[in-house]
Amino acid sequence: MLINRLAEWGVDTVFGIPGDGINGIMEGLRRHADKVRFVLVHHEEAAAFMATAHAKATGKIGVCLATSGPGGIHLANGLYDAKLDHVPVLAITGMQESGVLGTAYQQEVNLDRLYEDVAEYNQVVMNPAQLPTLVDVAIRTAYARRGVAHLTVPNDIQVAPAGKDPYQTVAPVRSPSTAPVYLAPAVRPRDADLRAAADVINDGNRVAILAGIGARGAGGLLEQAADRLGAPIVKSLLGKMVVPDDSRYVTGGLGLLGTKPSEELMDDIDTLLMVGTNFPYTKFLPQPGKVKVVQIDIEPARAGIRIPTEVPLVGDARATLEALLPLLAQKGHDHLRTYQDKTRTWHEAMRALESGDRDPIAPQYLAQQLDLAASDDAIMTCDSGTIATWAARHWHIRGNREFYLSGTLATMAPGLPYALAIQHAYPGRQVIAYVGDGGFAMLMAEFHTAMRYDLPIKVVINNNNSLGQILWEQMVLGYPEHGVRFGAPLPDYAGWARGCGGFGAQIDKPGDLSAALDEALAHPGPALLDVAVDPDEPPLPGKVSYEQAKKFAAAFLKGQPRKASIATTLFKDKIQQLKG
């Protein structure tokens, strides 16, 4: 009954691992294998990441499955990724037989209590008669609230006769007999709010647009608004694919991974239009009171949460922009041209760092070569850490390219399982997992999953043999590095790929990189390229503050063990920029 109802909702894949707490559900999957495919992974965390990636990439609910106790616990990290990035995921877990609950039975964990924070809908199925309706409510809630729903099913309920109601409830719950469907509401702000927002924007002299992933599908309208207002467009990292990076309006990202022009813009404007973003790093936003803000968001509770907002517009980004555009006055482009010039200068500085003459390989060069070699419809998945900096600045959205990572949770390890799920959903697309060695090592067993299901993902490891982001964060805080470099012996990730039956190669010379990337991308099956990059290359912010520089220097004076090589790398960076 459970699996059949999922199929009626259009679910065609469940990611997970079997266990004795879900044997009844696994039998349901076996019986309905023609409707719902079970993708066996090596770790439940990967299953949750894959369900999250499926939801991010397709817009349809992702489903993951884990056994009772430790299996359900392992799902939590991936489920928080879904929660914080607002995508619909259904987690299904097992539970001990209802008759032994509360007796400290083996692996007894109250997963419904564990998931109280992460789940928008969270229910123990205690009666077979509940099941179809609870599936319906769970999925509708996940869609409506853009988050996680959780159903946990005791073993005895899993194998009970379908539809049985042993308790003779007074008002049995019945699902509709027709095929279930979720109808998303068409949300458009009130006319009075639109006019008030237009008045605020039209009164501004120096306007900017900050766009996030909530504006996906409205990129053309954003560019129309930018042209009308003479407003540069800044993108959150999650919103990187909303507008092409080569758009004449785009200044790049914002924050530690952003660009200098975007930071300077936030200090220069008097009006900000935020579209589909809940940008959390408030220190990079304008000072409260210095700008007037209009925010477009589908969720009323998020309006004004980051910065005081004159007019919140509650609505879908596309529908709201369509209604707002006719009310916006045409402005001159002097302000826009200023930041177009700054952005060109910034790109020249970035290109100067993408040099193939440096040995060890500069991570900027690896990212640039991957950007050049990949197709115009490639989908990149990325991990957290320094890898996200190189992707943000050197992987360019053009054509139909897409980009996915763990945004608000910023957890390590999702890059590989994200790629698997997206390749499964889009078998004809080029899917590249661009990951750090730290994140890859956490769930590297899933490369074997790619081989078993013939998912031709390409994995490119930016290998600095360290937890690079933490290293630099320690230094910026003025601390000497501690516990961030892995050291010898070095893992043979390429050997692991070959051991799984895929393509695997190690590269440590810049002259070998381009040909190796071409070979890996052309390989018909899963491929892995392990690239040794300069471990002393700093992921500097777009605009380094005096306080950051002072603490960075203090870390050297306190005994930074690699200060000579780091100083050399920084010197090389500056020389390359001057050459550029």
Side-chain angles (χ1 to χ4, degrees):
M1 184 185 292
L2 170 63
I3 305 306
N4 191 58
R5 196 60 177 170
L6 291 177
E8 289 174 351
W9 270 100
V11 173
D12 59 13
T13 304
V14 172
F15 305 98
I17 299 180
D20 58 6
I22 50 171
N23 279 333
I25 296 173
M26 291 303 301
E27 173 61 9
L29 282 163
R30 187 194 67 80
R31 295 181 185 183
H32 291 283
D34 59 328
K35 297 178 181 178
V36 180
R37 187 180 189 186
F38 177 69
V39 173
L40 173 65
V41 302
H42 285 278
H43 196 291
E44 289 92 351
E45 183 179 5
F49 280 139
M50 292 165 79
T52 300
H54 176 89
K56 286 183 176 183
T58 68
K60 298 178 181 178
I61 194 161
V63 181
C64 54
L65 173 66
T67 190
S68 54
I73 294 170
H74 282 163
L75 290 178
N77 196 39
L79 296 181
Y80 270 100
D81 187 28
K83 171 187 172 70
L84 296 185
D85 282 350
H86 309 291
V87 293
V89 165
L90 172 62
I92 302 171
T93 62
M95 184 174 278
Q96 281 67 26
E97 282 80 359
S98 58
V100 300
L101 293 177
T103 67
Y105 200 75
Q106 185 185 30
Q107 294 190 330
E108 183 183 349
V109 175
N110 292 315
L111 293 175
D112 54 322
R113 297 183 191 175
L114 180 70
Y115 287 4
E116 280 180 353
D117 180 61
V118 75
E120 299 289 340
Y121 183 82
N122 187 19
Q123 188 64 46
V124 183
V125 180
M126 296 303 295
N127 187 327
Q130 293 175 284
L131 194 58
T133 297
L134 294 193
V135 172
D136 291 355
V137 176
I139 292 178
R140 287 197 177 104
T141 303
Y143 276 127
R145 298 183 183 172
R146 298 173 181 82
V148 175
H150 171 232
L151 293 176
T152 187
V153 191
N155 272 332
D156 52 326
I157 303 297
Q158 292 177 32
V159 298
K164 182 179 180 181
D165 185 0
Y167 308 111
Q168 297 298 309
T169 50
V170 175
V173 180
R174 295 190 178 92
S175 291
S177 57
T178 56
V181 64
Y182 173 74
L183 299 175
V187 183
R188 176 188 180 278
R190 295 170 297 192
D191 289 341
D193 293 335
L194 288 164
R195 286 191 295 270
D199 288 343
V200 169
I201 297 169
N202 290 337
D203 284 344
N205 294 312
R206 299 182 308 282
V207 183
I209 297 170
L210 176 58
I213 190 61
R216 187 179 184 185
L221 293 168
L222 283 172
E223 290 186 294
Q224 289 181 45
D227 189 75
R228 181 77 57 86
L229 300 171
I233 298 174
V234 180
K235 301 186 292 184
S236 72
L237 186 56
L238 270 179
K240 183 174 174 62
M241 61 182 162
V242 168
V243 183
D245 284 308
D246 58 4
S247 168
R248 60 190 294 263
Y249 306 103
V250 169
T251 62
L254 187 62
L256 288 175
L257 281 60
T259 69
K260 185 177 180 181
S262 293
E263 283 202 51
E264 292 180 345
L265 178 65
M266 290 296 113
D267 293 333
D268 185 35
I269 58 175
D270 58 24
T271 308
L272 178 63
L273 172 59
M274 299 175 66
V275 185
T277 180
N278 191 31
F279 190 79
Y281 308 106
T282 53
K283 72 177 182 178
F284 294 101
L285 294 174
Q287 287 293 319
K290 289 189 176 181
V291 298
K292 293 186 176 180
V293 179
V294 171
Q295 181 176 356
I296 299 172
D297 203 295
I298 194 69
E299 175 53 60
R302 287 199 293 265
I305 196 171
R306 303 301 184 195
I307 186 170
T309 302
E310 274 66 29
V311 183
L313 293 176
V314 177
D316 169 77
R318 184 175 186 85
T320 302
L321 286 171
E322 285 175 343
L324 182 62
L325 267 168
L327 305 177
L328 299 179
Q330 181 68 55
K331 297 180 184 295
H333 280 198
D334 289 348
H335 171 63
L336 174 62
R337 280 191 286 269
T338 296
Y339 283 90
Q340 287 173 331
D341 291 341
K342 289 176 181 287
T343 302
R344 277 191 291 270
T345 301
W346 167 264
H347 286 315
E348 289 169 3
M350 291 299 101
R351 282 193 291 271
L353 297 176
E354 298 168 347
S355 171
D357 297 333
R358 296 162 62 186
D359 190 359
I361 297 170
Q364 298 97 325
Y365 179 63
L366 169 58
Q368 180 242 18
Q369 289 295 297
L370 180 56
D371 180 64
L372 292 176
S375 67
D376 281 355
D377 72 341
I379 300 173
M380 173 180 279
T381 66
C382 186
D383 260 357
S384 299
T386 57
I387 190 78
T389 300
W390 315 132
R393 294 177 177 171
H394 303 277
W395 170 260
H396 296 104
I397 297 299
R398 62 174 181 264
N400 295 318
R401 283 186 174 181
E402 297 178 30
F403 177 75
Y404 298 95
L405 83 171
S406 172
T408 309
L409 186 62
T411 181
M412 293 176 67
L416 177 57
Y418 267 31
L420 290 168
I422 294 172
Q423 188 76 83
H424 177 77
Y426 299 111
R429 298 281 294 272
Q430 185 182 71
V431 180
I432 302 167
Y434 177 51
V435 298
D437 55 301
F440 178 76
M442 288 181 172
L443 292 173
M444 60 186 285
E446 302 307 337
F447 190 87
H448 181 248
T449 304
M451 291 301 306
R452 285 189 292 109
Y453 289 99
D454 194 24
L455 297 171
I457 61 168
K458 315 305 174 192
V459 180
V460 178
I461 302 177
N462 180 90
N463 193 339
N464 55 18
N465 196 33
S466 66
L467 300 172
Q469 189 70 31
I470 307 305
L471 184 156
W472 295 102
E473 286 174 351
Q474 288 178 0
M475 292 177 65
V476 168
L477 289 170
Y479 306 153
E481 68 173 65
H482 178 69
V484 291
R485 296 191 190 268
F486 292 118
L490 301 181
D492 185 1
Y493 297 127
W496 164 245
R498 293 192 297 271
C500 292
F503 173 94
Q506 286 180 315
I507 300 295
D508 60 8
K509 297 296 180 185
D512 299 332
L513 181 58
S514 178
L517 278 170
D518 288 342
E519 185 179 4
L521 293 175
H523 185 73
L528 183 149
L529 199 62
D530 183 8
V531 183
V533 299
D534 188 348
D536 298 317
E537 182 70 33
L540 293 176
K543 189 176 179 182
V544 181
S545 70
Y546 170 74
E547 194 65 26
Q548 287 171 326
K550 185 172 71 173
K551 289 181 177 178
F552 186 85
F556 270 57
L557 297 175
K558 285 183 180 180
Q560 165 55 243
R562 296 175 63 91
K563 57 186 174 185
S565 58
I566 291 171
T568 301
T569 298
L570 289 168
F571 179 73
K572 286 180 179 178
D573 283 353
K574 183 53 65 177
I575 291 295
Q576 291 293 338
Q577 288 177 331
L578 291 173
K579 281 183 180 179

